[in-house]
Amino acid sequence: MTLSFWKTLAQPIIGLAPMDGVTDSAFRYIVATYGKPDIVFTEFTNVHDICAGRLKVLDSLRYADVERPVIAQIYGKDPALFYQAAHVVCELGFDGLDINMGCPSKNVASSGSGAGLIRTPNLALELMEKARKGIQDWADGQTLAEIGLKPCAREAIAQLKAEHPNLTEYQERVSIPLSVKTRLGFDCNIINEWSDCLIQGRPEVISMHGRTLSQMYKGQSDWEAIAQAATRIQQHGILAIGNGDIKNLTDAHQRIYDSGVNGVLIGRGALGNPWIFQEIEQVRQALSTGSRLQWKTSEPNLDEKFQAMIKHAECFEAIHGTERFVRMRKHLGWYCSSFPHAAAMRSQMVRTNGTQDVKNIIDTYLDTQKTSETSELAFSLA
């Protein structure tokens, strides 16, 4: 039996949280290149879309090897589709499969998926069972055709596989680990009871966002609740990972120290800041000594930030083309902070239509700054 990658990771584990509409393949590539988190999750993908083979939707399952270990996150409520989707995730060479049981989106949760599964624990356990069965059957040699996946879906999967030359029909078939990401509850905190339920499904990891569905992203993440649930989860040999309100590695260090979790996921703290993961080893070193010491994290200089913006835009455009560049604008806006006239640049970046626009705005900014500095110097010498 092949050892799960989770067992090989140094602890505490610090990873990039899955964020719908944010952690696309271009963003994950940039984060892995500049920061290299311990683990990376994709955006969640609907099992129905996976099994239907909708290629545009399957863009969320694109990844680069630099992201490894990379985990595919899926959502839905149909056990049969979870079984098939697990085969597809394995076929695409992902290192792990994660089931989303925490999305608070009204459309997702009201349909019984995402955080809506908190209200249907028996279904949640069935989905885990079917996903694990799908993983094992794929490892035992079952093909996508044999599970009845439509030819159009198999063709779409083949196109994605072609981006990874090592994923051939002779690729080694091994079981990948199953994990779950969830919230404290639906409209109140029931994480102790809910985690006891999830433990029955024997996932290798349970990640917890410290809010209920009804809270969405309001208020403060409840790390005391995460800590209590983590103790229960760890007693069963399952890793417990916390998530919520971690803005930097100092926050990560403090949350891990106080709560005893096996690791944390950083979401919004990574927006416009792929460098946030660069000093993970410092967190581990500080925790190994039982220290609460804080350190000053290194900040990229302006040139490094601008180069990352351009590289991110180029990567996005290479994958999606300019016709979908509107989805890149928010990322460009997030980069625009903590430097002179950042707000003015942000207002321009959120109207860009391609990489060349990004380059032009940066060039104009730099030329303006040089002119301003020259004028200030001339004035001081007069």
Coordinates of all heavy atoms in Angstrom, one line a residue, residues 34-96:
Y34 N 6.0 31.4 -6.3 CA 6.6 32.4 -5.5 C 6.6 32.1 -4.0 O 7.4 32.6 -3.2 CB 5.8 33.8 -5.6 CG 6.1 34.5 -6.9 CD1 5.3 34.3 -8.0 CD2 7.2 35.3 -7.0 CE1 5.6 34.9 -9.2 CE2 7.5 36.0 -8.2 CZ 6.7 35.8 -9.3 OH 6.9 36.4 -10.5
G35 N 5.7 31.2 -3.6 CA 5.6 30.9 -2.1 C 5.8 29.5 -1.7 O 6.2 29.2 -0.7
K36 N 5.3 28.6 -2.6 CA 5.3 27.1 -2.3 C 4.7 26.7 -1.0 O 5.4 26.4 0.0 CB 6.8 26.6 -2.4 CG 6.8 25.1 -2.6 CD 6.0 24.6 -3.7 CE 5.9 23.1 -3.8 NZ 4.7 22.6 -4.3
P37 N 3.4 26.7 -0.9 CA 2.7 26.2 0.3 C 2.9 24.7 0.4 O 3.3 24.1 -0.6 CB 1.2 26.6 0.0 CG 1.1 26.7 -1.5 CD 2.4 27.2 -1.9
D38 N 2.6 24.1 1.5 CA 2.8 22.7 1.7 C 1.8 21.9 0.8 O 2.1 20.8 0.4 CB 2.6 22.3 3.2 CG 3.8 22.8 4.0 OD1 4.9 22.8 3.5 OD2 3.5 23.2 5.2
I39 N 0.6 22.4 0.7 CA -0.5 21.8 -0.1 C -1.3 22.8 -0.8 O -1.3 24.0 -0.4 CB -1.4 20.9 0.8 CG1 -1.9 21.8 2.0 CG2 -0.8 19.7 1.3 CD1 -3.0 21.1 2.8
V40 N -1.9 22.4 -1.9 CA -2.7 23.3 -2.7 C -4.0 22.6 -3.1 O -4.0 21.4 -3.4 CB -2.0 23.7 -4.0 CG1 -2.9 24.4 -5.0 CG2 -0.8 24.6 -3.7
F41 N -5.1 23.3 -2.9 CA -6.4 22.8 -3.3 C -6.9 23.5 -4.6 O -6.7 24.7 -4.7 CB -7.5 23.0 -2.2 CG -7.3 22.2 -1.0 CD1 -6.4 22.6 0.0 CD2 -8.0 21.1 -0.8 CE1 -6.2 21.9 1.1 CE2 -7.9 20.3 0.4 CZ -7.0 20.7 1.4
T42 N -7.7 22.9 -5.4 CA -8.3 23.5 -6.5 C -9.6 24.2 -6.0 O -10.0 24.0 -4.9 CB -8.7 22.5 -7.6 OG1 -9.8 21.7 -7.1 CG2 -7.6 21.6 -8.1
E43 N -10.2 25.0 -6.9 CA -11.5 25.5 -6.6 C -12.4 24.3 -6.6 O -12.1 23.2 -7.2 CB -12.0 26.4 -7.8 CG -11.2 27.6 -8.1 CD -11.8 28.2 -9.4 OE1 -12.7 29.0 -9.3 OE2 -11.2 27.9 -10.5
F44 N -13.6 24.4 -5.9 CA -14.5 23.2 -6.0 C -15.1 23.1 -7.4 O -15.3 24.1 -8.1 CB -15.5 23.2 -4.9 CG -16.5 24.3 -4.9 CD1 -16.7 25.2 -6.0 CD2 -17.4 24.5 -3.8 CE1 -17.7 26.2 -6.0 CE2 -18.4 25.4 -3.8 CZ -18.5 26.3 -4.9
T45 N -15.3 21.8 -7.8 CA -15.9 21.6 -9.1 C -17.1 20.6 -8.9 O -17.0 19.7 -8.1 CB -14.9 20.9 -10.0 OG1 -13.7 21.6 -10.1 CG2 -15.4 20.8 -11.4
N46 N -18.2 21.0 -9.5 CA -19.4 20.2 -9.4 C -19.2 18.8 -10.0 O -18.8 18.7 -11.1 CB -20.6 20.9 -10.0 CG -21.9 20.3 -9.7 OD1 -22.2 19.1 -9.9 ND2 -22.8 21.1 -9.1
V47 N -19.6 17.7 -9.3 CA -19.4 16.4 -9.8 C -20.3 16.2 -11.0 O -19.9 15.4 -11.9 CB -19.8 15.3 -8.7 CG1 -18.8 15.4 -7.6 CG2 -21.3 15.5 -8.2
H48 N -21.4 16.8 -11.2 CA -22.2 16.7 -12.4 C -21.4 17.2 -13.6 O -21.4 16.6 -14.7 CB -23.5 17.5 -12.2 CG -24.5 17.4 -13.4 ND1 -24.4 18.2 -14.4 CD2 -25.4 16.5 -13.6 CE1 -25.3 17.9 -15.3 NE2 -26.0 16.8 -14.9
D49 N -20.8 18.4 -13.4 CA -20.0 19.0 -14.5 C -18.8 18.1 -14.9 O -18.5 17.9 -16.1 CB -19.5 20.4 -14.1 CG -20.6 21.4 -14.0 OD1 -21.6 21.2 -14.7 OD2 -20.5 22.4 -13.3
I50 N -18.2 17.5 -13.9 CA -17.1 16.6 -14.2 C -17.5 15.4 -15.0 O -16.9 15.0 -16.0 CB -16.5 16.1 -12.8 CG1 -15.8 17.2 -12.1 CG2 -15.5 14.9 -13.1 CD1 -15.3 16.8 -10.7
C51 N -18.6 14.8 -14.6 CA -19.1 13.6 -15.3 C -19.8 13.9 -16.6 O -19.9 13.0 -17.5 CB -20.1 12.9 -14.4 SG -19.4 12.3 -12.8
A52 N -20.2 15.2 -16.8 CA -20.7 15.6 -18.1 C -19.6 16.0 -19.1 O -19.8 16.1 -20.3 CB -21.7 16.7 -17.9
G53 N -18.4 16.2 -18.6 CA -17.2 16.5 -19.4 C -17.3 17.9 -20.0 O -16.8 18.1 -21.1
R54 N -17.8 18.8 -19.3 CA -17.8 20.2 -19.7 C -16.4 20.8 -19.6 O -16.0 21.2 -18.6 CB -18.9 21.0 -18.9 CG -20.3 20.5 -19.1 CD -21.3 21.2 -18.2 NE -22.6 20.6 -18.4 CZ -23.6 20.8 -17.6 NH1 -23.4 21.5 -16.5 NH2 -24.8 20.3 -17.9
L55 N -15.8 21.0 -20.8 CA -14.4 21.3 -20.8 C -14.1 22.7 -20.2 O -13.1 22.8 -19.4 CB -13.8 21.3 -22.2 CG -12.3 21.3 -22.4 CD1 -11.7 20.1 -21.6 CD2 -11.9 21.2 -23.8
K56 N -14.9 23.7 -20.4 CA -14.7 25.0 -19.8 C -14.8 24.9 -18.3 O -14.0 25.5 -17.6 CB -15.7 26.0 -20.3 CG -15.3 26.6 -21.7 CD -16.1 27.9 -22.0 CE -15.6 28.5 -23.2 NZ -16.3 29.8 -23.5
V57 N -15.7 24.2 -17.8 CA -15.9 24.0 -16.3 C -14.7 23.2 -15.8 O -14.2 23.5 -14.7 CB -17.2 23.3 -16.0 CG1 -17.3 23.1 -14.5 CG2 -18.4 24.1 -16.4
L58 N -14.2 22.3 -16.6 CA -13.1 21.5 -16.1 C -11.7 22.2 -16.1 O -10.7 21.7 -15.7 CB -12.9 20.2 -17.0 CG -14.1 19.2 -16.8 CD1 -13.9 18.0 -17.8 CD2 -14.2 18.7 -15.4
D59 N -11.7 23.5 -16.5 CA -10.6 24.3 -16.4 C -10.1 24.3 -14.9 O -8.9 24.5 -14.6 CB -10.8 25.8 -16.8 CG -10.6 25.9 -18.3 OD1 -10.1 25.0 -19.0 OD2 -11.0 27.0 -18.9
S60 N -11.0 24.2 -14.0 CA -10.7 24.3 -12.6 C -9.8 23.1 -12.2 O -9.2 23.1 -11.1 CB -12.0 24.3 -11.7 OG -12.8 23.1 -12.0
L61 N -9.8 22.0 -13.0 CA -9.0 20.8 -12.7 C -7.7 20.8 -13.4 O -7.0 19.8 -13.5 CB -9.8 19.6 -13.0 CG -11.1 19.4 -12.1 CD1 -11.8 18.1 -12.5 CD2 -10.7 19.4 -10.7
R62 N -7.3 22.0 -14.0 CA -6.0 22.1 -14.6 C -5.0 22.4 -13.5 O -5.3 23.1 -12.5 CB -5.9 23.2 -15.6 CG -6.4 22.9 -17.0 CD -6.0 24.0 -18.0 NE -6.1 23.4 -19.3 CZ -7.2 23.5 -20.1 NH1 -8.3 24.1 -19.6 NH2 -7.2 23.0 -21.3
Y63 N -3.8 21.8 -13.6 CA -2.8 22.1 -12.6 C -1.4 21.9 -13.2 O -1.3 21.3 -14.3 CB -3.0 21.2 -11.4 CG -2.7 19.7 -11.7 CD1 -1.4 19.2 -11.5 CD2 -3.7 18.9 -12.1 CE1 -1.2 17.8 -11.8 CE2 -3.5 17.5 -12.3 CZ -2.2 17.0 -12.2 OH -2.0 15.7 -12.5
A64 N -0.4 22.5 -12.6 CA 1.0 22.3 -13.0 C 1.7 21.5 -11.9 O 1.3 21.5 -10.8 CB 1.7 23.6 -13.1
D65 N 2.7 20.7 -12.3 CA 3.4 19.8 -11.4 C 4.0 20.6 -10.2 O 4.2 20.0 -9.2 CB 4.4 19.0 -12.1 CG 3.8 17.8 -12.9 OD1 2.7 17.4 -12.6 OD2 4.4 17.4 -13.9
V66 N 4.3 21.9 -10.5 CA 5.0 22.7 -9.4 C 4.0 22.8 -8.2 O 4.5 23.1 -7.1 CB 5.4 24.0 -9.9 CG1 4.2 24.9 -10.2 CG2 6.3 24.7 -9.0
E67 N 2.7 22.6 -8.4 CA 1.7 22.8 -7.3 C 1.7 21.6 -6.4 O 1.2 21.7 -5.3 CB 0.3 22.9 -7.9 CG 0.1 24.1 -8.8 CD -1.2 24.1 -9.5 OE1 -2.2 23.7 -8.9 OE2 -1.3 24.4 -10.7
R68 N 2.3 20.4 -6.8 CA 2.2 19.2 -6.0 C 2.7 19.4 -4.5 O 3.7 20.1 -4.4 CB 2.9 18.1 -6.7 CG 2.2 17.6 -7.9 CD 2.8 16.3 -8.5 NE 2.2 16.0 -9.7 CZ 1.0 15.3 -9.9 NH1 0.3 15.0 -8.9 NH2 0.6 15.0 -11.1
P69 N 2.1 18.7 -3.6 CA 0.8 17.9 -3.7 C -0.4 18.8 -3.9 O -0.6 19.8 -3.2 CB 0.7 17.2 -2.4 CG 1.5 18.0 -1.4 CD 2.6 18.7 -2.2
V70 N -1.1 18.5 -5.0 CA -2.3 19.2 -5.3 C -3.6 18.4 -5.2 O -3.6 17.2 -5.6 CB -2.2 19.8 -6.8 CG1 -2.0 18.7 -7.8 CG2 -3.4 20.6 -7.2
I71 N -4.6 18.9 -4.6 CA -5.8 18.2 -4.2 C -7.0 18.7 -4.9 O -7.2 20.0 -4.9 CB -6.0 18.3 -2.7 CG1 -4.8 17.8 -1.9 CG2 -7.3 17.5 -2.2 CD1 -4.7 18.4 -0.5
A72 N -7.7 17.9 -5.6 CA -9.0 18.3 -6.3 C -10.1 18.3 -5.3 O -10.4 17.4 -4.6 CB -9.3 17.3 -7.4
Q73 N -10.8 19.5 -5.3 CA -12.0 19.6 -4.4 C -13.2 19.5 -5.3 O -13.4 20.2 -6.3 CB -12.0 20.9 -3.6 CG -13.1 20.9 -2.5 CD -13.2 22.2 -1.7 OE1 -13.6 23.2 -2.3 NE2 -12.8 22.1 -0.5
I74 N -14.2 18.7 -4.8 CA -15.4 18.5 -5.6 C -16.6 18.7 -4.6 O -16.5 18.7 -3.4 CB -15.5 17.1 -6.2 CG1 -15.5 16.0 -5.1 CG2 -14.3 16.8 -7.1 CD1 -15.7 14.6 -5.6
Y75 N -17.8 19.0 -5.3 CA -19.0 19.1 -4.5 C -20.2 18.6 -5.2 O -20.1 18.4 -6.5 CB -19.2 20.6 -4.1 CG -19.8 21.5 -5.2 CD1 -21.1 21.8 -5.2 CD2 -18.9 22.0 -6.1 CE1 -21.6 22.7 -6.2 CE2 -19.4 22.8 -7.1 CZ -20.8 23.2 -7.1 OH -21.3 24.0 -8.1
G76 N -21.3 18.4 -4.5 CA -22.5 17.9 -5.1 C -23.3 17.1 -4.0 O -22.9 17.2 -2.8
K77 N -24.2 16.3 -4.5 CA -25.0 15.5 -3.5 C -25.5 14.2 -4.1 O -26.2 13.5 -3.4 CB -26.3 16.3 -3.1 CG -27.2 16.7 -4.2 CD -28.4 17.4 -3.7 CE -29.4 17.7 -4.8 NZ -30.6 18.5 -4.4
D78 N -25.0 13.8 -5.3 CA -25.4 12.6 -5.9 C -24.3 11.6 -5.7 O -23.2 11.7 -6.3 CB -25.6 12.8 -7.4 CG -26.2 11.6 -8.1 OD1 -25.8 10.4 -7.7 OD2 -27.0 11.7 -9.1
P79 N -24.6 10.5 -4.9 CA -23.5 9.5 -4.6 C -23.0 8.8 -5.9 O -21.8 8.6 -5.9 CB -24.3 8.5 -3.7 CG -25.4 9.3 -3.1 CD -25.8 10.3 -4.1
A80 N -23.8 8.5 -6.8 CA -23.3 7.9 -8.0 C -22.3 8.8 -8.8 O -21.3 8.3 -9.3 CB -24.5 7.5 -8.9
L81 N -22.6 10.1 -8.8 CA -21.7 11.0 -9.5 C -20.4 11.1 -8.7 O -19.3 11.4 -9.3 CB -22.3 12.3 -9.7 CG -23.5 12.3 -10.7 CD1 -24.1 13.7 -10.9 CD2 -23.1 11.7 -12.0
F82 N -20.4 11.1 -7.4 CA -19.2 11.1 -6.6 C -18.3 9.9 -6.9 O -17.1 10.0 -7.0 CB -19.5 11.1 -5.1 CG -19.6 12.5 -4.5 CD1 -20.8 13.3 -4.8 CD2 -18.6 13.1 -3.8 CE1 -20.8 14.6 -4.3 CE2 -18.6 14.4 -3.3 CZ -19.8 15.2 -3.6
Y83 N -18.9 8.8 -7.1 CA -18.2 7.6 -7.5 C -17.5 7.8 -8.8 O -16.3 7.5 -8.9 CB -19.2 6.4 -7.6 CG -18.5 5.1 -8.0 CD1 -17.7 4.3 -7.1 CD2 -18.7 4.6 -9.3 CE1 -17.2 3.1 -7.6 CE2 -18.1 3.4 -9.7 CZ -17.4 2.7 -8.9 OH -16.8 1.5 -9.3
Q84 N -18.2 8.3 -9.8 CA -17.5 8.5 -11.1 C -16.5 9.7 -11.0 O -15.4 9.5 -11.6 CB -18.6 8.9 -12.1 CG -19.5 7.7 -12.5 CD -20.4 8.1 -13.7 OE1 -20.7 9.2 -14.0 NE2 -20.8 7.1 -14.4
A85 N -16.8 10.7 -10.3 CA -15.9 11.9 -10.2 C -14.6 11.5 -9.6 O -13.5 12.0 -9.9 CB -16.6 13.0 -9.5
A86 N -14.7 10.5 -8.6 CA -13.4 10.1 -7.9 C -12.5 9.4 -8.9 O -11.3 9.6 -8.9 CB -13.8 9.1 -6.8
H87 N -13.1 8.6 -9.9 CA -12.3 8.0 -10.9 C -11.6 9.1 -11.8 O -10.4 8.9 -12.1 CB -13.2 7.2 -11.8 CG -13.5 5.8 -11.3 ND1 -14.4 5.6 -10.3 CD2 -13.1 4.6 -11.7 CE1 -14.5 4.3 -10.1 NE2 -13.7 3.6 -11.0
V88 N -12.3 10.1 -12.1 CA -11.8 11.2 -13.0 C -10.6 11.9 -12.3 O -9.6 12.1 -12.9 CB -12.9 12.2 -13.4 CG1 -12.3 13.4 -14.1 CG2 -13.9 11.5 -14.2
V89 N -10.8 12.2 -11.0 CA -9.8 12.9 -10.2 C -8.5 12.0 -10.2 O -7.4 12.5 -10.4 CB -10.3 13.2 -8.8 CG1 -9.1 13.6 -7.9 CG2 -11.3 14.3 -8.8
C90 N -8.7 10.7 -10.0 CA -7.5 9.8 -10.0 C -6.9 9.8 -11.4 O -5.7 9.8 -11.5 CB -8.0 8.4 -9.6 SG -8.5 8.2 -7.9
E91 N -7.7 9.7 -12.4 CA -7.2 9.6 -13.8 C -6.4 10.8 -14.1 O -5.4 10.7 -14.9 CB -8.4 9.5 -14.7 CG -8.1 9.2 -16.2 CD -7.7 7.7 -16.5 OE1 -8.0 6.9 -15.6 OE2 -7.3 7.5 -17.6
L92 N -6.7 12.0 -13.6 CA -6.0 13.2 -13.9 C -4.7 13.4 -13.1 O -4.0 14.4 -13.2 CB -6.9 14.4 -13.7 CG -8.1 14.5 -14.7 CD1 -9.0 15.7 -14.3 CD2 -7.5 14.8 -16.1
G93 N -4.5 12.4 -12.2 CA -3.2 12.4 -11.5 C -3.1 13.3 -10.3 O -2.0 13.6 -9.8
F94 N -4.3 13.6 -9.7 CA -4.2 14.4 -8.5 C -3.7 13.6 -7.3 O -3.8 12.4 -7.3 CB -5.6 14.9 -8.1 CG -6.1 16.1 -8.9 CD1 -6.8 16.0 -10.1 CD2 -5.7 17.4 -8.6 CE1 -7.2 17.1 -10.9 CE2 -6.0 18.5 -9.3 CZ -6.8 18.4 -10.5
D95 N -3.1 14.3 -6.3 CA -2.5 13.7 -5.2 C -3.6 13.4 -4.1 O -3.3 12.5 -3.3 CB -1.4 14.6 -4.6 CG -0.3 14.8 -5.6 OD1 0.4 13.9 -5.9 OD2 -0.1 16.0 -6.0
G96 N -4.7 14.0 -4.1 CA -5.7 13.8 -3.2 C -7.1 14.3 -3.7 O -7.2 15.0 -4.6

